[in-house]
Amino acid sequence: MPAPSTLLAPSILSADFTCLERSIEIASKAGADWMHCDIMDGNFVPNITFGPFIVQAVASCTPMIIDTHLMISDPDRFIEDFVKAGSHQITVHQEACPHLHRTVQFIKSLGVKAGVSINPGTSLSTLDAILPDLDLVLLMSVNPGFGGQKFIPSSIGKIRLLHDMRLQANPQMVIAVDGGITEENAQAVVLAGADALIAGTAFFKSADPAATAATIRAMTR
Ligand code: DX5
Ligand code: ZN
């Protein structure tokens, strides 16, 4: 079943890496549900972030669900490492997986939840065949690669369509939306059908992250 109330997932990408533990504590105190870890390889996306070592450090600081978003080519090579590092959910990109069904089954065989992410320029119809197998879809509302980008407005229609698709194919599946989420657009995103909001800049760069989280929650209840 999709979550009864909106799940909030701060992206560690926008946190202060000189005080990672403190940043995680801020998220935890703000009532965050997942810690979103953005893994970029400089190949699938034009940016490099961090690997399993940092995910392990994050996981060691919190009992929160570790939600790992692999923006990497050929993710099968590293999935096991990210599970061993403490990920509870692994999301791969549709665009990076020629054998998506195999990759999804592999993730599940390791005992964690399997997600597929889809870029703004990719049609949702490419997920038709895999939807019944998924625990979550991470719908990108920016082109992946960087935090702090502007929400692409056409994502709202795409979330609505995905919501309709899941009612038919897999009502339990969670819809997460990633990129440019703010206090201003969170309500529209949830009304369109999102269950989980990933927020990097809006949360960690806020003067008061707990207040921002509370505002988003109040608007999306
Ligand atoms: C984008 C990442 C996002 C991003 C979210 O490639 O997948 O998770 O860090 O950050 P904001 O909320 O700043 O768009
Ligand atoms: Zn992400």
Side-chain angles (χ1 to χ4, degrees):
M1 259 298 273
S5 71
T6 307
L7 299 168
L8 202 58
S11 166
I12 198 78
L13 189 61
S14 300
D16 179 355
F17 272 70
T18 62
C19 317
L20 208 47
E21 192 170 12
R22 170 93 190 103
S23 298
I24 294 160
E25 200 182 304
I26 288 171
S28 168
K29 283 196 173 141
D33 299 283
W34 306 346
M35 278 311 309
H36 184 81
C37 296
D38 283 310
I39 314 301
M40 306 185 189
D41 67 350
N43 184 23
F44 178 65
V45 290
N47 195 9
I48 297 176
T49 56
F50 52 85
F53 187 70
I54 297 287
V55 173
Q56 192 175 11
V58 173
S60 73
C61 295
T62 177
M64 252 185 285
I65 288 172
I66 306 296
D67 174 50
T68 299
H69 177 192
L70 297 181
M71 288 163 277
I72 64 177
S73 303
D74 199 2
D76 298 52
R77 292 174 300 156
F78 294 104
I79 285 168
E80 210 165 346
D81 293 340
F82 283 102
V83 171
K84 282 188 186 145
S87 306
H88 300 95
Q89 310 181 154
I90 299 271
T91 295
V92 294
H93 266 261
Q94 185 276 344
E95 301 84 359
C97 296
H99 307 290
L100 188 57
H101 184 270
R102 179 188 293 152
T103 303
V104 165
Q105 301 312 322
F106 178 51
I107 295 171
K108 288 180 152 186
S109 76
L110 298 173
V112 299
K113 292 193 171 168
V116 169
S117 187
I118 183 156
N119 282 340
T122 306
S123 169
L124 285 172
S125 62
T126 60
L127 298 184
D128 269 347
I130 198 69
L131 229 47
D133 294 295
L134 299 182
D135 295 303
L136 75 108
V137 167
L138 182 67
L139 192 142
M140 294 308 299
S141 41
V142 300
N143 287 293
F146 303 93
Q149 301 182 79
K150 226 173 131 25
F151 183 87
I152 298 172
S154 60
S155 307
I156 294 289
K158 229 173 151 184
I159 299 164
R160 275 195 207 114
L161 177 56
L162 180 58
H163 179 60
D164 290 347
M165 287 167 71
R166 79 151 153 202
L167 290 178
Q168 297 297 318
N170 182 358
Q172 314 294 317
M173 189 195 84
V174 167
I175 297 177
V177 177
D178 188 7
I181 297 293
T182 62
E183 291 176 46
E184 287 70 40
N185 61 26
Q187 190 171 39
V189 170
V190 169
L191 284 176
D195 311 298
L197 301 176
I198 317 302
T201 306
F203 182 78
F204 278 114
K205 306 289 187 209
S206 164
D208 186 347
T212 299
T215 305
I216 290 178
R217 276 194 192 289
M219 288 184 333
T220 59
R221 213 175 290 273

